[in-house]
């Protein structure tokens, strides 16, 4: 598994706003948050998990809508489908974790397994999809993709929705409504 430090270093070598740089920086933050959730207890653990859950939810939606269509052409349909499948599985696990007591042993065990799966997923993106994007997309195209990715993240659902995860077409249709519901839910539960 690559480290958060390596991801940040690689991102810093790319132009500002480059989609690969944005995603590498987010992968590093996700790895950091897993560590925070693992070490924290009580309310601190719940807050760290909520931040991790929201970041993962918006990150995966944006990847599916912005990166995956391009990755299908550059890295291949099989690669893109494998990443979509992993994201669908991750949404199911994230929904289960969301319903558990963060201080329970079951949560800790499931979180550890989930951390490994998410790390493996990020490693596959970084070794398969990202090099293909760097090879096949101009710097301007990657910057435009980065802008679009960040815009979609601002509008994306903040909770996992496994019924549409891994299915970009369904996500595009239901995502805005789900995002509105999620953001109201977040505001009410704070």
């Amino acid at each position: 598994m690559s480290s958060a430090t390596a991801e940040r270093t690689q991102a810093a070598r790319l132009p500002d706003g480059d989609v690969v740089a944005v995603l590498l920086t987010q992968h590093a933050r996700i790895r950091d948050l897993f560590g925070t959730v693992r070490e924290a207890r009580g309310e601190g653990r719940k807050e760290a998990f909520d931040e991790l859950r929201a970041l993962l939810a918006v990150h995966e939606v944006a990847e599916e809508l912005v990166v995956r269509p391009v990755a299908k052409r550059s890295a291949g349909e099989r690669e893109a489908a494998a990443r979509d499948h992993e994201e669908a599985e991750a949404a199911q696990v994230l929904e289960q974790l969301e319903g558990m007591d963060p201080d329970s042993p079951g949560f800790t065990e499931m979180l550890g397994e989930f951390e490994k799966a998410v790390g493996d997923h990020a490693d596959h993106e970084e070794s398969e999809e990202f090099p293909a994007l760097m090879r096949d997309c101009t710097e301007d195209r990657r910057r435009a993709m980065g802008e679009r990715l960040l815009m979609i993240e601002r509008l994306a659902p903040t909770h996992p929705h496994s019924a549409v995860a891994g299915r970009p077409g369904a996500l595009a249709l239901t995502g805005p409504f789900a995002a509105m519901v999620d953001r109201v839910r977040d505001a009410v539960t704070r």
Side-chain angles (χ1 to χ4, degrees):
M1 180 183 343
S2 70
S3 73
T5 302
E7 289 163 334
R8 285 188 180 93
T9 300
Q10 189 178 357
R13 292 184 186 128
L14 296 169
D16 285 343
D18 183 296
V19 69
V20 174
V22 171
L23 293 171
L24 285 166
T25 301
Q26 289 179 354
H27 286 179
R29 180 68 185 137
I30 288 165
R31 291 182 202 274
D32 292 343
L33 281 169
F34 269 113
T36 301
V37 174
R38 203 177 335 99
E39 300 301 319
R41 298 290 174 262
E43 190 59 31
R45 184 176 233 192
K46 183 189 177 319
E47 289 173 8
F49 176 73
D50 285 346
E51 184 179 349
L52 174 64
R53 181 242 328 126
L55 177 55
L56 283 169
V58 300
H59 175 86
E60 297 304 340
V61 165
E63 278 185 337
E64 288 180 33
L65 295 176
V66 175
V67 175
R68 222 44 40 74
V70 177
K72 271 185 188 172
R73 291 186 299 278
S74 61
E77 287 220 19
R78 201 168 174 200
E79 178 65 27
R83 299 299 74 81
D84 281 344
H85 178 74
E86 291 166 356
E87 288 170 359
E89 287 178 343
Q92 291 174 342
V93 174
L94 199 52
E95 282 179 340
Q96 290 175 319
L97 284 166
E98 193 173 29
M100 297 173 79
D101 174 0
D103 286 322
S104 71
F107 179 91
T108 302
E109 183 179 328
M110 186 179 283
L111 181 75
E113 293 169 12
F114 184 56
E115 180 177 9
K116 179 167 180 359
V118 169
D120 289 348
H121 172 79
D123 291 345
H124 282 289
E125 288 176 339
E126 292 170 19
S127 66
E128 303 296 329
E129 285 184 327
F130 295 0
L133 292 175
M134 298 293 292
R135 179 190 67 231
D136 294 346
C137 297
T138 65
E139 188 176 307
D140 287 342
R141 173 113 191 258
R142 290 192 321 268
R143 195 175 287 130
M145 289 172 68
E147 289 174 15
R148 186 167 171 237
L149 183 119
L150 292 171
M151 181 195 65
I152 287 172
E153 285 183 346
R154 286 190 293 274
L155 303 171
T158 59
H159 293 265
H161 294 274
S162 62
V164 294
R167 297 173 41 220
L171 253 173
L173 292 174
T174 61
F177 177 74
M180 181 181 62
V181 171
D182 287 354
R183 291 173 197 283
V184 168
R185 179 172 145 194
D186 293 342
V188 170
T189 59
R190 284 190 184 149

